[in-house]
Short mmCIF file of all heavy atoms in Angstrom, two decimals:
data_model
loop_
_atom_site.label_atom_id
_atom_site.label_comp_id
_atom_site.label_asym_id
_atom_site.label_seq_id
_atom_site.Cartn_x
_atom_site.Cartn_y
_atom_site.Cartn_z
N ALA A 55 -49.77 17.21 -96.32
CA ALA A 55 -50.53 18.39 -96.60
C ALA A 55 -51.91 18.26 -95.89
O ALA A 55 -52.62 17.31 -96.12
CB ALA A 55 -50.78 18.56 -98.09
N LEU A 56 -52.21 19.14 -94.96
CA LEU A 56 -53.42 19.10 -94.14
C LEU A 56 -54.39 20.09 -94.72
O LEU A 56 -54.16 21.23 -94.74
CB LEU A 56 -53.12 19.39 -92.73
CG LEU A 56 -52.14 18.47 -92.00
CD1 LEU A 56 -51.78 19.04 -90.62
CD2 LEU A 56 -52.62 17.07 -91.89
N GLY A 57 -55.54 19.60 -95.23
CA GLY A 57 -56.54 20.48 -95.77
C GLY A 57 -56.56 20.41 -97.28
O GLY A 57 -55.59 19.97 -97.91
N ALA A 58 -57.64 20.83 -97.88
CA ALA A 58 -57.85 20.74 -99.27
C ALA A 58 -56.85 21.54 -100.11
O ALA A 58 -56.34 21.08 -101.12
CB ALA A 58 -59.25 21.16 -99.66
N ASN A 59 -56.50 22.73 -99.69
CA ASN A 59 -55.65 23.62 -100.48
C ASN A 59 -54.32 23.78 -99.81
O ASN A 59 -53.56 24.73 -100.15
CB ASN A 59 -56.38 24.97 -100.70
CG ASN A 59 -57.58 24.87 -101.48
OD1 ASN A 59 -57.68 24.12 -102.42
ND2 ASN A 59 -58.60 25.64 -101.08
N ALA A 60 -53.97 22.93 -98.90
CA ALA A 60 -52.72 23.08 -98.20
C ALA A 60 -51.51 22.46 -98.97
O ALA A 60 -51.72 21.55 -99.77
CB ALA A 60 -52.86 22.40 -96.82
N SER A 61 -50.38 22.98 -98.69
CA SER A 61 -49.18 22.40 -99.27
C SER A 61 -48.43 21.63 -98.13
O SER A 61 -48.61 21.94 -96.95
CB SER A 61 -48.26 23.41 -99.89
OG SER A 61 -48.36 24.69 -99.28
N ALA A 62 -47.64 20.69 -98.56
CA ALA A 62 -46.88 19.85 -97.57
C ALA A 62 -45.82 20.70 -96.89
O ALA A 62 -45.33 21.70 -97.45
CB ALA A 62 -46.28 18.70 -98.32
#
Side-chain angles (χ1 to χ4, degrees):
L56 302 173
N59 297 321
S61 31

